[in-house]
Amino acid sequence: MKLQVRERERRGSADARRLRREGLIPGVLYGSGKEPHAISIPERELRRVLTGGSGLHAILDVVLEGQQTTHASILKEFQQDPIRGHISHVDLQEVRLDQPIQASVNVQLIGEPEGVKEGGVLSQVQREINVEALPMEIPEHIDLDVSGMAIGDTLRLADLPEREGMKYLDNPEETVLATVTLPTRVEEPEPEVEEGEEGELPEGEEAAEGAAPAPAEPEAEAAGEPGTDEG
């Protein structure tokens, strides 16, 4: 995809802010063994090429304004505005189409695991993997079929099918891509009963119905027999 860019003379944060106000994205074009070019790109043009079929892995035919030479390049890195989410700076890397490059590719899970139908939870542990291939062979994403996963199953990089012309760079056994596990149960703790409280009734509360009445206190002994006078 063709991308027209402008070379800029000044650098610095003040100049970058000025460019963004004018609808331009500051960036740098790195050449293979050549001196880097400080550039600016119309935001609409950058959005157009990066939302095409190849996404962030598109091969860009970069043309500096006023020149005829094209530079086959890829988007090496980019920065985003933390509030608005817009791209605020880009690094373009010139590449040779006949030499392999390294790139990060998204892994997309497809299908519904059998374990999820039985109540399990699907988790995607790793969303990107590192690959090496010719620039034109780098895919936009890699699909991973998880429909056959049962509860307790784990899929690793080693479970991804081989792709001709592309090499996986991460550890195939240690790179976990997806798991299906039982849902986590949260048990509420039982209320603690302080020692001495069990069986006690709150003050003023009567005993439960049917409980034996407390024995009456004995009356004081009479001073004399009833009906007789002392002496």
Side-chain angles (χ1 to χ4, degrees):
M1 303 186 70
K2 190 174 182 179
L3 179 64
Q4 189 90 23
V5 303
R6 305 174 187 174
E7 195 161 6
R8 56 190 175 101
E9 297 179 359
R10 293 182 294 174
R11 297 192 182 188
S13 56
D15 186 57
R17 288 194 296 269
R18 178 187 62 81
L19 290 171
R20 295 187 192 106
R21 288 195 299 268
E22 297 175 1
L24 300 171
I25 306 299
V28 178
L29 172 63
Y30 294 95
S32 179
K34 302 175 185 177
E35 186 177 352
H37 294 277
I39 59 173
S40 64
I41 311 168
E43 184 179 5
R44 288 185 178 181
E45 280 296 294
L46 183 63
R47 192 185 311 121
R48 176 184 64 82
V49 298
L50 296 183
T51 54
S54 299
L56 299 179
H57 302 293
I59 303 298
L60 307 174
D61 285 334
V62 178
V63 180
L64 291 171
E65 191 175 45
Q67 298 183 12
Q68 299 295 326
T69 306
T70 60
H71 305 265
S73 307
I74 59 170
L75 178 64
K76 189 65 176 178
E77 292 183 2
F78 66 92
Q79 298 174 7
Q80 286 183 289
D81 185 285
I83 299 176
R84 299 180 179 180
H86 298 161
I87 294 179
S88 57
H89 188 276
V90 295
D91 287 346
L92 302 180
Q93 176 68 53
E94 189 172 355
V95 295
R96 288 185 53 176
L97 300 182
D98 60 347
Q99 293 184 352
I101 62 171
Q102 296 181 0
S104 296
V105 179
N106 289 328
V107 177
Q108 291 189 0
L109 307 184
I110 58 173
E112 182 180 6
E114 291 296 326
V116 170
K117 298 176 184 178
E118 298 170 359
V121 177
L122 172 65
S123 300
Q124 185 168 2
V125 180
Q126 186 105 350
R127 297 185 178 276
E128 287 188 344
I129 59 174
N130 297 305
V131 303
E132 183 178 87
L134 293 175
M136 299 295 290
E137 300 298 328
I138 301 291
E140 181 183 357
H141 63 266
I142 297 175
D143 292 334
L144 176 60
D145 187 3
V146 297
S147 57
M149 296 182 70
I151 294 177
D153 284 353
T154 297
L155 288 181
R156 294 176 169 82
L157 179 59
D159 299 309
L160 272 180
E162 295 290 335
R163 297 174 68 103
E164 185 178 357
M166 189 172 69
K167 180 169 66 175
Y168 301 129
L169 301 179
D170 301 310
N171 189 305
E173 296 297 335
E174 295 182 2
T175 305
V176 177
L177 301 178
T179 61
V180 175
T181 57
L182 286 171
T184 304
R185 290 186 178 181
V186 179
E187 296 184 0
E188 296 183 1
E190 296 182 0
E192 296 182 359
V193 179
E194 295 184 6
E195 187 176 354
E197 289 186 354
E198 187 173 357
E200 293 184 0
L201 293 174
E203 186 178 353
E205 186 173 323
E206 296 182 357
E209 185 178 352
E217 295 182 3
E219 297 180 0
E221 294 183 1
E225 294 292 332
T228 60
D229 294 331
E230 185 178 356

